[in-house]
Amino acid sequence: MSASAQAPRAAGPDRPADFLAPAFHKQRRELVRQALSPGSVAVLFAAPVRNRANDVDFTYHQHPDFYYLTGYEEPGAVLVLFKEPQSINGQAGVTEALFVQPRDPKAEQWMGRRLGKEGVQQQLQLQYVADNKNFLKSGIKWAGFSQVHFLPLPTDVRNDAQDPADLYDLVAAFREQAAIPSNFDPSLAQAYKLIQQYGLAGADRLQAYLTGMGSAVVQDPYVQAYLAAKTEAQRKKAIADKPSSRFDTALLDETLDRLREVKTTEELALLRRAVRISAVGQQEVMKHLRPDMGEMEVQGLHEYIYKKYGAEFEGYPSIVGAGNNGCILHYTQNDKPQVKNDLLLMDCGAEYHGYTADVTRTIPPSGKFSPAQRQIYELVLAAQEAGFAACKPGAEFQAPNAAAQQVVAQGLIKLGIITKSDEARRYFPHGTSHYLGLDVHDRGSNGALTAGNVITVEPGIYIPEGSPCDKKWWNIGVRIEDDILITTNGYENLSREAPRTVAEVEAMMAKTSVLDNFKLPDLR
């Protein structure tokens, strides 16, 4: 990362210095503001604090969109973006305003330092910053805006009676001051968006999808008119008759999809580090793994390596499944006491400064694949190679998936596991790719691939016990997943340091690990 991209953002001393710079977030805010409709305003809220149990909360994680636009990592905040400059509390020419939780020495003694208004002004460099309680009576003339743009508001937020400006109060104040109708339903905005995008080309599938979105959607007059249309001409008329509203949750959603799907140089530096950390985790576990180790121990090894390299979190709950557990797509229990000689599927990703990797490797604890394991593994590998070949600018987002699905179907037929291609979905039930970034399943339009996209390519085959095939295939679950940067002329595999081929995996597993001599006392 270049020096200009570094920002020592911290509420206290001795934090890392390679966070995204204030200039990055300012540029993102400006791009969103440019996308706003004339005479409009946009409002975004920080993520809620989530309770784990009793008086213990989960570690706070900022809403990725809010972080993307501000760099602010604390709760109880509101960002307001104005299309045209406004006056707030006597300050003229304001196009962006951030309301944040104030400094509180007593709270900070218990829960950690806060930036406060002064810290945000100094380190995040927004144009207008005030304590969040000021948002309750901000003086913003909401009635004067032609449109009010926002993301779906949180509806399951606790009201802290000790905090007069917590997220519950901030959202309530916004609803009241902007006069948002009590029956406003953001799912309608999503339905309208789908009708506008797929109302003609995907009519059959869309109609079935809309009817499953709930009564509020199905009973809406615009949706009803579309569902009642039987011909293309009728559908065109129904689509064109979209009602207007001052309140909109679609524009911000679409704009952030478009922006976040193309990574900047600064973002790629953080993503590369997250991916490399994850790849080293896969390497070390390969070298150290033994059949008598448990799934949870393996999980701990990955996550220790993440922490060793300064990754704050995992991007998602680690998936470490041996044998039949590896056939559960999102298995996170990870409590099998010994992996034994079953294939071990490890879907793990480090999160570094908000950006997450997503790397999966499947390995034999004995150090050698059995013949049946090897056949399935090499079929998945071939499907992944086909997916890689489809990764190029201009290709449809679903191109890697289509290529991988075809290889898997043909291979399963050849192995005698299925007899027809459409049966392959039993053993390969998921898509091959998703965007990667601030979310493990990151924002994006699912349009044509373009340089700067980072996507996964992750085919898999899962044959649980009891499947209608030869028993020699049972309990084999294989997924191979890599993180792929689309370049101007092709792709780059960011996670290539994690061994992929049978020969590479077995060679890595034959090596010694720095963890081999790590011993803890027995607990008796």
Side-chain angles (χ1 to χ4, degrees):
M1 181 178 289
S2 65
S4 62
Q6 295 182 353
R9 184 181 73 257
D14 301 324
R15 290 193 71 200
D18 58 342
F19 290 103
L20 293 168
F24 168 85
H25 301 292
K26 182 173 181 59
Q27 182 199 46
R28 302 292 99 184
R29 290 193 299 276
E30 185 59 25
L31 289 171
V32 169
R33 200 175 69 81
Q34 290 174 12
L36 299 180
S37 56
S40 70
V41 62
V43 182
L44 295 95
F45 290 89
V49 174
R50 294 299 188 194
N51 181 250
R52 183 177 186 272
N54 194 16
D55 59 351
V56 177
D57 293 329
F58 285 103
T59 300
Y60 185 72
H61 188 275
Q62 185 58 276
H63 191 297
D65 289 328
F66 200 88
Y67 180 77
Y68 185 71
L69 296 178
T70 66
Y72 188 69
E73 298 176 293
E74 301 173 29
V78 190
L79 173 67
V80 185
L81 300 175
F82 304 104
K83 180 66 174 181
E84 292 85 16
Q86 305 291 314
S87 293
I88 303 181
N89 292 332
Q91 181 172 330
V94 176
T95 57
E96 55 180 34
L98 183 62
F99 299 84
V100 301
Q101 61 180 2
R103 296 293 306 274
D104 183 337
K106 184 176 180 180
E108 292 180 52
Q109 181 182 24
W110 285 89
M111 303 304 296
R113 299 180 181 92
R114 297 178 177 183
L115 280 174
K117 179 180 69 174
E118 294 78 10
V120 170
Q121 286 175 324
Q122 178 185 3
Q123 298 189 35
L124 301 182
Q125 300 173 17
L126 277 90
Q127 186 183 24
Y128 178 92
V129 184
D131 288 348
N132 55 10
K133 63 183 179 182
N134 292 338
F135 181 75
L136 305 180
K137 297 181 179 180
S138 63
I140 295 173
K141 297 178 175 60
W142 298 101
F145 297 111
S146 59
Q147 279 202 302
V148 180
H149 303 287
F150 55 99
L151 296 176
L153 301 174
T155 57
D156 57 345
V157 182
R158 292 179 301 166
N159 185 11
D160 183 355
Q162 305 301 314
D163 186 349
D166 64 1
L167 185 62
Y168 183 94
D169 298 306
L170 297 173
V171 171
F174 171 60
R175 281 184 171 277
E176 179 183 357
Q177 294 174 21
I180 298 174
S182 59
N183 63 350
F184 179 82
D185 188 345
S187 64
L188 282 177
Q190 177 66 15
Y192 288 9
K193 176 182 175 181
L194 292 172
I195 290 172
Q196 295 287 311
Q197 287 184 325
Y198 307 111
L200 293 178
D204 292 341
R205 292 180 62 187
L206 178 57
Q207 288 179 340
Y209 185 81
L210 290 171
T211 56
M213 288 185 69
S215 59
V217 170
V218 175
Q219 294 171 11
D220 177 77
Y222 178 65
V223 177
Q224 284 186 336
Y226 173 76
L227 292 174
K230 303 303 179 185
T231 67
E232 183 168 326
Q234 290 173 338
R235 291 190 188 110
K236 284 182 178 179
K237 183 178 186 306
I239 292 169
D241 290 338
K242 176 186 173 184
S244 60
S245 171
R246 281 192 68 237
F247 305 104
D248 170 68
T249 60
L251 184 140
L252 277 180
D253 198 52
E254 294 167 5
T255 301
L256 288 163
D257 277 351
R258 175 173 52 81
L259 292 177
R260 284 180 52 186
E261 74 178 4
V262 179
K263 303 302 185 286
T264 68
T265 301
E266 297 95 331
E267 291 179 287
L268 285 174
L270 299 180
L271 260 175
R272 286 180 185 278
R273 186 164 182 85
V275 174
R276 291 201 66 197
I277 291 170
S278 305
V280 172
Q282 294 284 357
Q283 289 179 1
E284 290 306 318
V285 169
M286 287 181 188
K287 290 186 282 187
H288 186 57
L289 184 65
R290 302 183 309 272
D292 64 346
M293 293 171 63
E295 292 172 343
M296 198 173 297
E297 183 179 0
V298 173
Q299 174 186 350
L301 294 175
H302 280 281
E303 294 173 9
Y304 167 72
I305 291 167
Y306 299 170
K307 300 293 187 184
K308 181 70 174 175
Y309 284 110
E312 295 92 338
F313 305 104
E314 306 82 57
Y316 52 94
S318 297
I319 298 168
V320 180
N324 213 44
N325 292 338
C327 298
I328 302 170
L329 300 184
H330 288 166
Y331 171 78
T332 58
Q333 194 165 330
N334 302 348
D335 65 354
K336 188 174 183 177
Q338 291 189 340
V339 299
K340 299 184 179 179
N341 287 321
D342 290 325
L343 278 183
L344 181 64
L345 188 155
M346 305 177 296
D347 186 339
C348 306
E351 180 185 300
Y352 188 81
H353 295 0
Y355 287 82
T356 180
D358 190 3
V359 181
T360 306
R361 292 295 185 263
T362 307
I363 62 177
S366 67
K368 294 288 185 180
F369 289 87
S370 72
Q373 291 171 347
R374 180 170 184 151
Q375 285 179 290
I376 298 298
Y377 187 92
E378 291 191 328
L379 174 53
V380 174
L381 190 68
Q384 192 187 35
E385 291 289 351
F388 287 168
C391 290
K392 50 191 174 184
E396 291 300 316
F397 184 82
Q398 292 297 329
N401 180 64
Q405 293 279 358
Q406 183 178 19
V407 171
V408 167
Q410 292 173 348
L412 291 176
I413 291 173
K414 186 174 181 180
L415 292 174
I417 295 173
I418 61 175
T419 58
K420 297 182 295 184
S421 293
D422 57 7
E423 295 173 347
R425 295 298 294 178
R426 171 190 288 272
Y427 302 111
F428 183 11
H430 60 78
T432 303
S433 299
H434 57 76
Y435 294 103
L436 194 63
L438 284 169
D439 286 297
V440 65
H441 297 146
D442 207 32
R443 276 189 175 276
S445 65
N446 291 344
L449 296 174
T450 188
N453 292 161
V454 179
I455 66 171
T456 62
V457 177
E458 51 173 315
I461 295 174
Y462 317 90
I463 311 176
E465 184 175 352
S467 297
C469 61
D470 192 313
K471 291 183 179 180
K472 72 178 182 178
W473 307 114
W474 288 4
N475 299 320
I476 294 179
V478 174
R479 181 161 63 249
I480 311 172
E481 178 178 19
D482 283 275
D483 301 340
I484 302 301
L485 169 65
I486 305 301
T487 63
T488 55
N489 56 6
Y491 72 90
E492 177 188 352
N493 184 352
L494 301 180
S495 49
R496 59 189 177 275
E497 291 176 84
R500 291 176 55 244
T501 68
V502 168
E504 289 170 346
V505 170
E506 291 183 347
M508 184 63 70
M509 296 188 74
K511 295 182 178 181
T512 58
S513 169
V514 294
L515 301 169
D516 287 342
N517 295 321
F518 180 69
K519 305 293 182 184
L520 292 174
D522 290 334
L523 300 179
R524 300 187 185 279

